[in-house]
Amino acid sequence: MSVIVVSGEGLTIEQIAAVSNGAKVKLSDDAAVLDRIERSRDVIQRAVAAGEEVYGVTTLFGAMADQHIRPDQIVELQRLALWQHKTATGPRLPAKDVRAAMLLRANSLMKGASGIRLEIIDRLVAFLNAGIHPHAFQRGSIGASGDLVPLSYIGSSILGLDPAFLVDMAGETVDCLTALKQLGLAPLEPEAKEGLALNNGTGACTGVSANAASRALSLTAVAMG
């Protein structure tokens, strides 16, 4: 299959399976798509500058959402949104399922509703196209309420949050900072909303499901052939 274009709209099971098996990816260059990402980011920046109350951006999370943070704590809060979910157990997710999760998260972020910078979405694509796969694991997350744990491992790796996050690169296990250096990228701090944008979604369970559906369709075709 040719290069898969990610625009925030309808990826097919066939396309997800293709990327899972190594197909290249590129982000849409459609002006309308890029504009909605920029406008979404601007909404967050203006809210922070105005001192507005925004859950998980200028407040803490969950039961502590009534606690506000100072402007100088915003980056640390987003780092914690990722770091506090480094809690996985069990076997690692297969690389194909990690690739599917990365593709689906990129597609979701391209909808322009998450307030994240385009350059971070670009990093998901860079990792996919270089065949660099963050270590994520099968147990320890919530699933339909948000794949916070596996997506935090992926998000932390593409940012270079900490060398404790490992990736597969060229058949070897290396830390995420080594992988970024290989790509010519420096570690990137998550700004307002960006930690949540990376981990608060269902890309991991959806990716696993899409790959399972693809295998089922292939087996059905063989059985009926």
Side-chain angles (χ1 to χ4, degrees):
M1 183 173 286
S2 59
V3 174
I4 304 301
V5 178
V6 179
S7 66
E9 302 300 330
L11 289 173
T12 66
I13 288 177
E14 183 183 20
Q15 289 173 322
I16 295 168
V19 173
S20 297
N21 285 288
K24 302 294 185 182
V25 176
K26 69 175 182 179
L27 299 181
S28 171
D29 58 3
D30 184 282
V33 174
L34 301 181
D35 179 64
R36 69 193 186 207
I37 293 170
E38 183 63 30
R39 286 189 288 110
S40 173
R41 184 71 199 141
D42 186 57
V43 167
I44 294 297
Q45 290 176 320
R46 285 189 282 108
V48 170
E52 295 179 16
E53 181 178 314
V54 182
Y55 174 82
V57 177
T58 58
T59 76
L60 298 183
F61 312 116
M64 299 184 71
D66 60 344
Q67 301 297 309
H68 294 259
I69 64 167
R70 302 188 308 269
D72 64 330
Q73 296 175 312
I74 283 176
V75 168
E76 184 60 22
L77 181 67
Q78 297 307 308
R79 289 180 60 88
L80 287 172
L82 296 167
W83 179 257
Q84 69 183 357
H85 288 103
K86 194 178 188 302
T87 57
T89 63
R92 279 178 41 205
L93 280 174
K96 289 183 179 182
D97 290 338
V98 173
R99 289 183 64 83
M102 294 167 72
L103 172 68
L104 286 159
R105 195 70 206 128
N107 192 58
S108 180
L109 294 173
M110 287 294 283
K111 291 181 180 294
S114 298
I116 194 169
R117 286 170 286 172
L118 183 64
E119 67 177 301
I120 295 181
I121 312 175
D122 270 326
R123 290 190 173 210
L124 287 165
V125 172
F127 270 56
L128 282 169
N129 289 342
I132 299 173
H133 307 131
H135 289 192
F137 299 84
Q138 294 183 16
R139 302 186 188 124
S141 198
I142 300 171
S145 295
D147 298 322
L148 299 172
V149 172
L151 292 180
S152 288
Y153 280 72
I154 291 170
S156 297
S157 296
I158 66 169
L159 291 175
L161 192 76
D162 190 279
F165 291 96
L166 304 177
V167 304
D168 280 344
M169 183 177 71
E172 297 183 3
T173 294
V174 300
D175 66 79
C176 61
L177 298 180
T178 298
L180 286 172
K181 185 176 181 180
Q182 180 68 26
L183 292 172
L185 298 171
L188 190 63
E189 292 283 14
E191 296 179 358
K193 182 66 168 60
E194 292 181 328
L196 285 179
L198 284 168
N199 72 6
N200 197 4
T202 57
C205 63
T206 304
V208 171
S209 299
N211 282 339
S214 176
R215 293 192 296 271
L217 289 169
S218 295
L219 286 171
T220 300
V222 170
M224 296 181 67

